Amino acid sequence: QVWQIRLDMHLLNHDGNITDAASIAGIVALCHFRRPDVSVQGEEVTVYTPEERDPVPLSIHHMPICVSFAFFHQGTYLLVDPTEREERVMDGLLVIAMNKHHEICTIQSSGVVMLLQDQILRCSKITAVKVAEITELIQKALENDQKARKEGGKFGFAESIPNQRITAFKMESAAVDTSDVEEQAGEIIAKADPPSEVFASPVLHTPGTAQIGEGIESSWGDLEESEKEEAAEEEGESEAAAFECEKVETKDTSTLRETKNEPIVLSDSEEEEVVILEPQELPRKTR
């Protein structure tokens, strides 16, 4: 059996270089964490409460700390720990994670800048110095916290932040006077400029549409009326087409009446044959 530990980070304020801040916060949280003490006898596992036994720290062999470098003008200028405004205009970013033993844990490069070998070596040397400083600060902070806990003094994240800071969300309670709220609201409304035009009631342009206030007419309307109009237009078009067909049929019928007493001769120029049709054999509709 093993312990499963999940580390959640919540961002309180962003002023650039989130990677370095997150790495420091994560490694400090893991170093500060204490798990319950456990004893194993055969297949029996006993997990002790903090009252029974003091919790024990995790086995952390080294502290990987990230250091970020911003590059400008295609690597001509180098900047450590860029701010949020500097990150907006930088050409590239290089992040190196290293421990105090000068062991590189990871390297990540992003952006549109091509780095040379000398530039990376220079950044690694700067990282070694910064990691040694940050690791010393972390160890001192952990020692001070442990000392404060043993002495029974104030400790913890909530007590380490003073009041009236954006990251604290802690302010002294103050009474609020609400006796003259209506009078103050009336004075504010009286001093405010009235609107250019006041609509006492909605403007009804057509059935199914309405307009309140300024602006163009609403495009929505009564769907049933619009469907009726479309149906009426389609019906009118179909009636006109039927009338044209009837007119053509009437004209063709009158032509047949004029020639019903004479046989119709259809000649084929290629075979030179003549076909004579009787009037009663003509179709009713001629196209």
Side-chain angles (χ1 to χ4, degrees), residues 165-230:
R165 280 187 57 178
I166 189 172
T167 56
F169 297 105
K170 182 179 178 181
M171 294 183 63
E172 298 294 337
S173 59
V176 180
D177 187 11
T178 58
S179 58
D180 56 346
V181 173
E182 295 183 358
E183 297 178 0
Q184 294 180 2
E187 294 177 358
I188 295 174
I189 295 174
K191 293 180 180 179
D193 296 332
S196 58
E197 185 176 359
V198 179
F199 293 87
S201 59
V203 179
L204 185 63
H205 298 282
T206 58
T209 64
Q211 175 182 338
I212 301 177
E214 300 179 357
I216 60 176
E217 297 182 7
S218 302
S219 59
W220 57 271
D222 192 352
L223 298 179
E224 295 182 358
E225 294 294 334
S226 61
E227 291 176 357
K228 290 180 181 179
E229 294 177 359
E230 293 178 359

Side-chain angles (χ1 to χ4, degrees), residues 118-183:
D118 296 338
Q119 293 174 323
I120 298 177
L121 292 176
R122 181 188 175 192
C123 293
S124 63
K125 293 179 181 179
I126 298 175
T127 302
V129 177
K130 299 294 294 183
V131 167
E133 296 176 357
I134 296 173
T135 303
E136 185 178 358
L137 292 175
I138 292 175
Q139 292 176 349
K140 287 184 178 180
L142 293 174
E143 292 174 0
N144 293 335
D145 179 82
Q146 186 176 3
K147 183 178 179 181
R149 290 175 183 273
K150 289 182 179 180
E151 295 177 355
K154 295 182 179 181
F155 56 86
F157 178 76
E159 296 296 335
S160 63
I161 298 180
N163 296 336
Q164 297 181 0
R165 280 187 57 178
I166 189 172
T167 56
F169 297 105
K170 182 179 178 181
M171 294 183 63
E172 298 294 337
S173 59
V176 180
D177 187 11
T178 58
S179 58
D180 56 346
V181 173
E182 295 183 358
E183 297 178 0

Side-chain angles (χ1 to χ4, degrees), residues 51 66 77 80 103 139 164 184 218 225 235-236 240 277:
E51 290 77 12
C66 294
Y77 300 100
V80 184
E103 296 175 349
Q139 292 176 349
Q164 297 181 0
Q184 294 180 2
S218 302
E225 294 294 334
E235 185 178 357
L277 299 178

Side-chain angles (χ1 to χ4, degrees), residues 25-278:
I27 193 63
V28 171
L30 294 176
C31 293
H32 185 269
F33 176 73
R34 299 291 186 271
R35 65 169 179 83
D37 194 7
V38 179
S39 65
V40 180
Q41 295 180 357
E43 296 182 355
E44 184 180 356
V45 179
T46 304
V47 180
Y48 298 97
T49 61
E51 290 77 12
E52 296 175 346
R53 288 188 181 181
D54 292 336
V56 296
L58 300 178
S59 298
I60 298 178
H61 302 287
H62 64 102
M63 297 182 184
I65 304 297
C66 294
V67 179
S68 298
F69 300 89
F71 295 92
F72 303 88
H73 294 282
Q74 297 300 320
T76 305
Y77 300 100
L78 173 65
L79 184 63
V80 184
D81 190 7
T83 63
E84 191 267 340
R85 290 186 176 182
E86 292 166 348
E87 287 181 350
R88 293 183 183 181
V89 296
M90 67 182 180
D91 296 332
L93 182 68
L94 178 66
V95 180
I96 301 178
M98 184 183 296
N99 56 22
K100 65 178 182 180
H101 306 295
H102 297 184
E103 296 175 349
I104 296 178
C105 302
T106 181
I107 295 179
Q108 181 182 5
S109 178
S110 60
V112 296
V113 62
M114 298 296 293
L115 299 178
L116 301 177
Q117 181 179 359
D118 296 338
Q119 293 174 323
I120 298 177
L121 292 176
R122 181 188 175 192
C123 293
S124 63
K125 293 179 181 179
I126 298 175
T127 302
V129 177
K130 299 294 294 183
V131 167
E133 296 176 357
I134 296 173
T135 303
E136 185 178 358
L137 292 175
I138 292 175
Q139 292 176 349
K140 287 184 178 180
L142 293 174
E143 292 174 0
N144 293 335
D145 179 82
Q146 186 176 3
K147 183 178 179 181
R149 290 175 183 273
K150 289 182 179 180
E151 295 177 355
K154 295 182 179 181
F155 56 86
F157 178 76
E159 296 296 335
S160 63
I161 298 180
N163 296 336
Q164 297 181 0
R165 280 187 57 178
I166 189 172
T167 56
F169 297 105
K170 182 179 178 181
M171 294 183 63
E172 298 294 337
S173 59
V176 180
D177 187 11
T178 58
S179 58
D180 56 346
V181 173
E182 295 183 358
E183 297 178 0
Q184 294 180 2
E187 294 177 358
I188 295 174
I189 295 174
K191 293 180 180 179
D193 296 332
S196 58
E197 185 176 359
V198 179
F199 293 87
S201 59
V203 179
L204 185 63
H205 298 282
T206 58
T209 64
Q211 175 182 338
I212 301 177
E214 300 179 357
I216 60 176
E217 297 182 7
S218 302
S219 59
W220 57 271
D222 192 352
L223 298 179
E224 295 182 358
E225 294 294 334
S226 61
E227 291 176 357
K228 290 180 181 179
E229 294 177 359
E230 293 178 359
E233 292 179 358
E234 293 178 357
E235 185 178 357
E237 293 177 357
S238 59
E239 290 180 355
F243 178 75
E244 293 293 335
C245 293
E246 184 178 358
K247 185 177 180 180
V248 172
E249 290 179 359
T250 306
K251 183 177 180 180
D252 294 340
T253 305
S254 62
T255 305
L256 290 176
R257 288 177 181 176
E258 293 177 358
T259 60
K260 68 178 182 178
N261 294 328
E262 298 178 0
I264 298 177
V265 180
L266 301 177
S267 60
D268 192 344
S269 60
E270 294 180 358
E271 300 180 359
E272 296 182 356
E273 293 181 358
V274 178
V275 180
I276 301 176
L277 299 178
E278 295 296 331

